[in-house]
Amino acid sequence: MSVSTSVPNPIPFLDLVTPHVELEQELTAVFRKALRSAGFIGGPMVEEFEKAFAAFCDASHSVAVSSGTDALRFALMASGVKPGDVVVTVPHTFIATTEAISQAGALPEFVDIDERTYNMDPAKLGEYLEKQCTVDDAGTLVSRRSGRPVTAVVPVHLYGQMADMDPILELAERYRLVVIEDACQAHGAEYFSRKHNRWMKAGSMGRAAAFSFYPGKNLGACGEAGAATTNDAGIAKHMKMLRDHGQATKYYHDIEGYNGRLDAIQAGLLHVKLAHLAKWNAQRRERAAEYNRLLVSTESVAIPHEPSSSRAVYHLYVICVEDREGLMAHLKSAGIGTGIHYPIPLHLQKAYAALNYLKGDFPVAEKVAAGIVSLPMFPQLAPEQQSRVVEEIINFTSMTARKCVEADVVSLGAENRTA
Ligand SMILES: Cc1ncc(COP(=O)(O)O)c(C=O)c1O
């Protein structure tokens, strides 16, 4: 939601200018270097960034591509998802998750999210696999809904917090499914794996993972960009071919691919910013802790839930309230930017009418979508700005609580008169 410009010192939802001004010299040096070498596509700038990003994710390989959507599509295809397969994911995510599944020729089917983390609920995944799928004569797991083979799961690490990966991976192993992480919002997020008895990074746990470097992401390019990670050299090689017209050697096309490469300039810019990502993520965690501290006793506001097995990187700080539209309008008039991520769950979007899901099919996702509001969140957000955001939230909630009490008193009065 855009902010009211008539209010002094508006607080934006996101400040993308400050980090670019701070890094201007380093960033413009990348342009100069690219102009002088004219190496605009591929080359050392891309390869160096790929190496550094793989290391950041604790993954063996990273393949830089033109967007997070392409990264997810290539990860699915290279991991063996075939046209006609079913890929299971959540309805509470950005549409790119399911677009990539469809673009790989597969069909998305959904399971509901967890009430507290808003990520895939492993119990619901287990229920889906057990009750909504069957095993055919050939031993293939088949969806009862579509009659198609179920081959992959895409947990989404939404808002910068990893899904509960241990039970998801365990189910995937039991049912022989491939797990592809949608880590597009979770650069640097960590999960404590009880199985491995250590903290593990987003992008290091699934067969492959997808990251977006859309400008507003924790690591954002100055344009469109993305990357896929994997610990499997064969999948990395396949993804490199998919991004480059199916060729590993120029003009020798083993398969049909796409034009999904990352520009060298974007890779260079991302490499400069990658050096600051751990610090920016730590600042986001501090800002989230401050919001939590200020909001924890406001009963009508549900703050984000971070389980002890999670170190989230707060791409977004999302609260849930009763009167979302009222709160957003109030914050707008106070000059405070907000957003909704996302207002309509995917199973109820027009684009997926043909999937024949109904309202009520995923009650948690539907309830969450009706109440969530994303508050201003970026590394440079000042504590004083946060205090003002929270002050306005509390003003609004106490105003509405007062209205409820007054309404109760009026209706009590009316009851008394009629009694
Ligand atoms: C959860 C999720 N998946 C996939 C994507 C797609 O990334 P991109 O916009 O870079 O294609 C995004 C980006 O917004 C996202 O948030």
Side-chain angles (χ1 to χ4, degrees), residues 202-219:
S204 71
M205 295 192 77
R207 184 75 58 86
F211 291 86
S212 165
F213 303 128
Y214 187 73
K217 296 292 197 278
N218 290 28
L219 178 62

Side-chain angles (χ1 to χ4, degrees), residues 67-70 72 93-94 96-97 156 158 182 184-185 211-214 217 224-226 342:
S67 69
T69 313
D70 268 3
L72 192 53
T93 177
F94 181 53
T97 308
V156 181
L158 205 67
D182 183 338
C184 283
Q185 301 189 2
F211 291 86
S212 165
F213 303 128
Y214 187 73
K217 296 292 197 278
E224 301 281 359
Y342 300 89

Side-chain angles (χ1 to χ4, degrees), residues 85-105:
D85 289 0
V86 165
V87 176
V88 188
T89 190
V90 286
H92 184 59
T93 177
F94 181 53
I95 193 171
T97 308
T98 42
E99 282 175 333
I101 292 169
S102 304
Q103 287 164 9

